[in-house]
Amino acid sequence: MVDAYIFLERLRDLLYSLLEQRDRARESGLEVIPLREAVPLVKYGFISMFKGGVIMDVTSDKQAEIAEDAGAVGVMVLDKLPYDVRMAGGVARTADLRVIESVMNTITIPVSAKCRIGHSEEARLLEEIGVDLIDESEVLTPVDEKAHIDKWAFKTPFVNGARNLPEALRRIYEGASMIRTKGEPGTGNVAEAVKHMKLVNRDIAMLRGHYLRGDYEAIWVYSKENSVPYELTLLTARLGRLPVVNFAAGGIATPADAALMMWLGADGVFVGSGIFKSSDPEARARAIVLATSFYDDPEAVVEAQKMVSEKQAMMGIDIRSLKPEQLMQVRGV
């Protein structure tokens, strides 16, 4: 486990420096020793490079090209966008491997893909074809409602969703290199993502208070009551944040949505159906990247919001209209 988040940022700078030196060595005709892969520090350091960026859901090469041109730091390849998964019903599985490989051959930014919760074989297939990040996602139909994949057994880093801090810490303990809010995917309603981010922040602030007062017994009680390892809880209390990168996801559909989640403390955002279920995907993709990068600059966010029209946004779904069995966020807690 990484000792401090600032170390991840330094590691990211170091990796960039090493890659530049490797490229210069190759240009000089020198033999280059392959980089080590899959060690925990590399898995965490690679993911930290996404910080401040946007990862967009795509289903085709054309959508992936739009995402890359807009400035996305990565794409997530699915068979269907979350909104369409919700509408289609039935069993949702990982995307066609040939589509994922085609996207990988089309763009230059990192390519991710989703596997079902608990489906280690789907994850192995994704690792075998060389995706950069695997999302063990509640958007797809879980094959195991209780047991998630042992992510330490994989070379490829994983991202998992969480609705609160105990859920996030359980996924990190299983080996996740990145956490994201679950939100309620495919709805175009960011309300649940906001709630989840605030719940995580609330508990971290409480643990941080315990740590600053030297009340380690309260930290131990929290870890015991929530079935998470004490050492991981203590590390979170000491850092005052999650010990891995934390993105926002679930219902982000506008530049203002993205800026709001960044203000709440997200390190970046995933955009699922919000871009390619809208009528202006190219402009909306650029606008959301702009709002995410400059969320603390009101003029930039206003400019981003003016780049799109509410009339062209995706059709939203009122979460209160969903039946309990239609909620995706409760899968795999």
Side-chain angles (χ1 to χ4, degrees):
M1 183 56 64
V2 182
D3 289 332
Y5 186 75
I6 192 171
F7 181 75
L8 288 175
E9 296 180 324
R10 292 176 178 172
L11 179 62
R12 177 191 58 192
D13 294 339
L14 174 61
L15 288 173
Y16 273 128
S17 176
L18 290 172
L19 289 171
E20 290 173 356
Q21 291 189 38
R22 181 196 62 180
D23 291 342
R24 284 198 291 271
R26 281 178 173 169
E27 291 172 0
S28 302
L30 298 175
E31 183 180 357
V32 177
I33 300 174
L35 292 173
R36 292 181 64 192
E37 297 178 342
V39 296
L41 288 181
V42 172
K43 290 169 71 173
Y44 290 116
F46 168 67
I47 294 301
S48 73
M49 296 179 186
F50 294 152
K51 189 179 177 186
V54 181
I55 298 176
M56 300 180 188
D57 282 357
V58 302
T59 60
S60 66
D61 295 350
K62 180 175 176 54
Q63 291 181 355
E65 288 177 327
I66 291 173
E68 183 174 37
D69 291 344
V73 296
V75 299
M76 180 74 68
V77 185
L78 296 88
D79 179 55
K80 303 180 186 69
L81 295 172
Y83 178 88
D84 293 326
V85 170
R86 191 178 290 282
M87 295 298 109
V91 177
R93 309 179 183 89
T94 194
D96 189 323
L97 298 184
R98 290 165 296 189
V99 173
I100 299 172
E101 289 180 322
S102 179
V103 170
M104 292 167 63
N105 292 328
T106 300
I107 60 176
T108 60
I109 56 178
V111 175
S112 315
K114 293 181 184 292
C115 71
R116 283 175 272 179
I117 292 175
H119 205 315
S120 57
E121 192 57 30
E122 279 189 347
R124 289 192 185 92
L125 295 177
L126 295 176
E127 180 170 83
E128 182 64 24
I129 66 172
V131 300
D132 297 292
L133 176 69
I134 298 172
D135 188 345
E136 189 179 12
S137 177
E138 66 280 0
V139 171
L140 308 184
T141 308
V143 297
D144 192 328
E145 291 283 358
K146 295 183 179 179
H148 284 68
I149 296 170
D150 173 15
K151 291 161 272 288
W152 295 111
F154 288 79
K155 296 179 180 178
T156 306
F158 274 69
V159 56
N160 279 88
R163 296 188 298 169
N164 50 47
L165 182 60
E167 194 175 346
L169 295 181
R170 284 195 288 273
R171 300 292 86 79
I172 295 170
Y173 184 66
E174 293 164 356
S177 302
M178 174 192 257
I179 295 296
R180 54 171 173 72
T181 56
K182 281 185 169 177
E184 190 52 46
T187 62
N189 187 339
V190 76
E192 292 300 291
V194 169
K195 181 170 72 176
H196 299 164
M197 186 64 73
K198 287 185 175 180
L199 286 173
V200 170
N201 291 344
R202 183 200 65 184
D203 279 18
I204 289 177
M206 179 188 65
L207 290 173
R208 180 66 176 166
H210 294 328
Y211 178 79
L212 293 176
R213 290 191 298 274
D215 190 352
Y216 296 97
E217 181 177 355
I219 298 173
W220 181 82
V221 170
Y222 180 92
S223 66
K224 183 176 177 61
E225 289 180 344
N226 291 286
S227 302
V228 293
Y230 170 71
E231 292 75 11
L232 189 54
T233 310
L234 178 62
L235 175 60
T236 302
R238 182 162 67 82
L239 295 175
R241 59 157 295 136
L242 285 178
V244 301
V245 172
N246 184 22
F247 269 41
I252 295 169
T254 71
D257 288 346
L260 173 61
M261 297 310 301
M262 295 298 286
W263 269 113
L264 292 175
D267 292 316
V269 300
F270 284 89
V271 184
S273 307
I275 293 174
F276 293 106
K277 294 304 293 183
S278 72
S279 302
D280 55 354
E282 290 90 351
R284 193 165 296 269
R286 292 196 302 273
I288 289 179
V289 169
L290 177 63
T292 302
S293 299
F294 299 100
Y295 71 94
D296 56 351
D297 180 348
E299 290 186 8
V301 178
V302 167
E303 179 185 344
Q305 192 68 22
K306 286 181 177 179
M307 291 167 63
V308 298
S309 167
E310 175 61 21
K311 296 182 184 304
Q312 295 176 305
M314 69 172 286
M315 179 68 71
I317 299 173
D318 187 344
I319 296 171
R320 294 170 298 182
S321 68
L322 297 175
K323 298 177 182 177
E325 61 270 23
Q326 294 176 306
L327 295 176
M328 294 178 175
Q329 62 177 280
V330 298
R331 295 171 168 175
V333 297

